[in-house]
Amino acid sequence: MSSSTPLSPAARLRALTPDWIADPKVWRTEILAGLVVALALIPEAISFSIIAGVDPAVGLFASFTMAVTIAVVGGRRAMISAATGAVALVIAPLQREHGLGHLVAAVILAGVFQVVLGALGVAKLMRFIPRPVMTGFVNSLAILIFLAQVPEMTDVPWPVYPLIIGGLALMVLSPRVTTAVPAPLVSIVILTVITVAAALAVPTVGDKGELPSALPVPGLPDVPFTVETLTTIAPYAFAVALVGLMESLMTAKLVDDITDTPSNKTRESVGQGIANIVTGFFGGMGGCAMIGQTMINVKVSGARTRLSTFLAGAFLMVLCVVFGPVVSDIPMAALVAVMVMVSFATFDWHSVAPRTLRRLPAGEIAVMVITVGCVVATHNLAIGVVVGSLTAMAVFARRVAHLAEVTAVTDPDGTTVVYRVTGALFFASSNDLVGRFDYAGDPGRVVIDLSAAHIWDASSVAALDAIEAKYARRGKTVEITGLNAPSAHLHERLTGEPAGH
């Protein structure tokens, strides 16, 4: 067949079909991974519903619609999006003050904001997240996942503790017997059978709240469509949009590193917005990427495709609507064991090893610790990442500022002095630049050689102007030489005078 012959519809379909479609092993992995994630989503969604002050069904519906929608429109394969604690914390005050209708309207508007921000390229800001902040983000997530399990391990009947220990043991040992079934699923099934067979009086999923008995129905939010409503929900919607995007993009980057595969961050940003819009129209509380369930899916269960994400949402509704009584009997101890294992696997233990800490600069260690501290203290990932990034910028500025050096050489005839400036000139380094010159003692002609320097901002241009002004008041001339093209352009534009070369 020649290269110009058009492909038949069947051939085009085969070309667009992923290779894994015909691989039974991949199907088994993805299906079982989706089932495990769905089981883990149920108590989490109910808990987040309680935080937001809404009925458990609102969180469960959100998890269903978020997962199913993002599986189609998202930019990161195998990542799980659902109702999250971060979104619940942001949206809770709106629910308390104005009710569910305003909450749902805010979720839809948050989705619109995310679509707009995604289209404007907000995902490109990810390149400015330093490595220590990313490490702090991962470690703080692991800590938060563990801390979220502590209430399930305090003031509980004593059988809970052997069940948790047994669940952890099963997840460690079962992969040595078979990897065909994910270890978390083995642990959940066995602990549930033991609990039911022995009639153990321990907390179960059913104790968290009543599971829905029917699928969600689409509809418009029950709010007046007025400017007043818009001004009420807009601040909450924008906060949800920012928190959701930051958490989702950071989680996507983490999954990129774990799987050694790229993701489309712009598509993920827009996809999160679409998923929240769909969720709002189905009466859900909104959400974003979930680090814990994503780690169960990707790192523990080995899922790599969109199928596991889609099935996680689909299985969630099937388990609630069809198998509600059975799911209600699952002991919380089984899910606590799974999340504790996820916490342990998520934490970057290499980052806190003594050998690593001895090699890392003190500034980078401080950035990582500050990021972790802020996230754990506020339970808000966005605050931790922003504070950590600002700290990293301050550390970087301080470090680079000390790299600017000035050396002076006077010509033998004593009529000219040449100052050679090396390093990056910006607001932090240029502040000290003015004081590095001998205005009174220098001869009548001063040359400032910037061939080994780079001008980055207006502060540096202002510093050079101040130097020239100080010499001019003493009747001395200054010539600036060696500027590279970008520095010369910036200098000329901000001073209004051609820069020397």
Side-chain angles (χ1 to χ4, degrees):
M1 180 182 294
S2 67
S3 59
S4 60
T5 303
L7 294 174
S8 66
R12 285 200 299 270
L13 180 61
R14 285 194 298 270
L16 294 172
T17 302
D19 295 338
W20 59 264
I21 289 292
D23 190 340
K25 185 177 179 181
V26 173
W27 276 86
R28 182 186 64 204
T29 299
E30 299 296 312
I31 291 171
L32 293 176
L35 179 58
V36 173
V37 171
L39 290 169
L41 277 174
I42 293 173
E44 293 272 289
I46 295 174
S47 298
F48 298 147
S49 299
I50 295 171
I51 292 173
V54 297
D55 188 82
V58 177
L60 290 166
F61 288 158
S63 295
F64 162 60
T65 53
M66 286 293 298
V68 169
T69 306
I70 206 69
V72 178
V73 300
R76 172 64 259 176
R77 296 190 302 274
M79 190 167 76
I80 305 297
S81 290
T84 59
V87 170
L89 288 169
V90 173
I91 212 78
L94 181 63
Q95 158 66 19
R96 286 195 301 269
E97 295 173 18
H98 299 280
L100 181 61
H102 281 72
L103 181 149
V104 171
V107 169
I108 295 172
L109 184 58
V112 174
F113 283 146
Q114 288 178 327
V115 170
V116 173
L117 290 171
L120 291 175
V122 69
K124 295 177 182 178
L125 296 176
M126 284 298 296
R127 71 183 69 176
F128 298 106
I129 305 295
R131 181 70 182 178
V133 174
M134 188 67 192
T135 303
F137 170 82
V138 171
N139 290 346
S140 58
L141 282 171
I143 294 170
L144 287 182
I145 292 171
F146 179 81
L147 291 178
Q149 312 314 310
V150 172
E152 305 296 339
M153 296 185 282
T154 54
D155 298 326
V156 293
W158 69 265
V160 169
Y161 302 108
L163 285 174
I164 293 174
I165 294 171
L168 292 170
L170 283 169
M171 282 184 284
V172 172
L173 298 175
S174 64
R176 301 181 183 180
V177 178
T178 178
T179 56
V181 181
L185 183 58
V186 173
S187 176
I188 291 170
V189 170
I190 291 178
L191 292 188
T192 302
V193 170
I194 292 173
T195 302
V196 174
L200 296 177
V202 295
T204 63
V205 171
D207 296 330
K208 286 289 183 180
E210 185 178 354
L211 301 181
S213 57
L215 294 175
V217 178
L220 295 175
D222 184 17
V223 294
F225 292 88
T226 62
V227 175
E228 182 182 356
T229 300
L230 181 62
T231 55
T232 300
I233 67 174
Y236 295 95
F238 194 65
V240 168
L242 292 180
V243 169
L245 282 180
M246 186 172 295
E247 195 161 338
S248 298
L249 293 175
M250 293 289 284
T251 304
K253 189 174 187 302
L254 176 61
V255 178
D256 291 351
D257 294 339
I258 292 173
T259 62
D260 288 328
T261 57
S263 61
N264 187 328
K265 303 297 191 304
T266 297
R267 178 177 173 180
E268 181 62 33
S269 301
V270 175
Q272 287 290 329
I274 295 172
N276 271 306
I277 292 172
V278 172
T279 296
F281 281 119
F282 276 91
M285 58 179 278
C288 61
M290 295 191 76
I291 183 67
Q293 277 65 22
T294 297
M295 290 300 99
I296 292 175
N297 198 45
V298 173
K299 202 165 188 177
V300 179
S301 301
R304 291 293 183 271
T305 76
R306 298 178 185 275
L307 180 62
S308 57
T309 305
F310 180 87
L311 290 177
F315 283 150
L316 173 64
M317 277 294 98
V318 172
L319 289 169
C320 290
V321 175
V322 181
F323 299 102
V326 176
V327 173
S328 296
D329 288 334
I330 296 175
M332 285 302 300
L335 299 175
V336 168
V338 171
M339 298 310 293
V340 168
M341 181 62 74
V342 169
S343 172
F344 183 85
T346 301
F347 196 90
D348 185 354
W349 296 101
H350 173 74
S351 67
V352 296
R355 182 180 177 185
T356 303
L357 295 176
R358 283 196 297 268
R359 293 201 314 264
L360 280 177
E364 296 199 7
I365 296 174
V367 169
M368 181 176 67
V369 171
I370 288 171
T371 303
V372 171
C374 286
V375 172
V376 173
T378 63
H379 284 229
N380 190 316
L381 296 166
I383 292 177
V385 171
V386 170
V387 173
S389 298
L390 292 176
T391 304
M393 292 177 187
V395 170
F396 173 77
R398 183 175 181 275
R399 185 184 302 163
V400 175
H402 292 298
L403 298 179
E405 297 292 338
V406 179
T407 55
V409 177
T410 304
D411 281 357
D413 60 7
T415 61
T416 303
V417 61
V418 178
Y419 284 93
R420 180 174 174 81
V421 182
T422 61
L425 299 182
F426 65 113
F427 63 90
S429 58
S430 60
N431 286 337
D432 297 329
L433 189 64
V434 178
R436 307 289 290 275
F437 294 81
D438 185 4
Y439 301 100
D442 284 340
R445 182 172 181 266
V446 177
V447 176
I448 302 177
D449 180 8
L450 297 178
S451 57
H454 188 98
I455 298 176
W456 287 104
D457 60 6
S459 297
S460 303
V461 176
L464 292 173
D465 288 346
I467 292 169
E468 291 186 79
K470 285 178 177 290
Y471 278 115
R473 285 197 293 269
R474 292 170 172 80
K476 301 175 182 180
T477 61
V478 175
E479 179 185 1
I480 298 176
T481 64
L483 286 173
N484 57 37
S487 298
H489 176 71
L490 184 64
H491 184 273
E492 182 176 356
R493 181 160 58 89
L494 295 180
T495 64
E497 298 175 1
H501 295 277

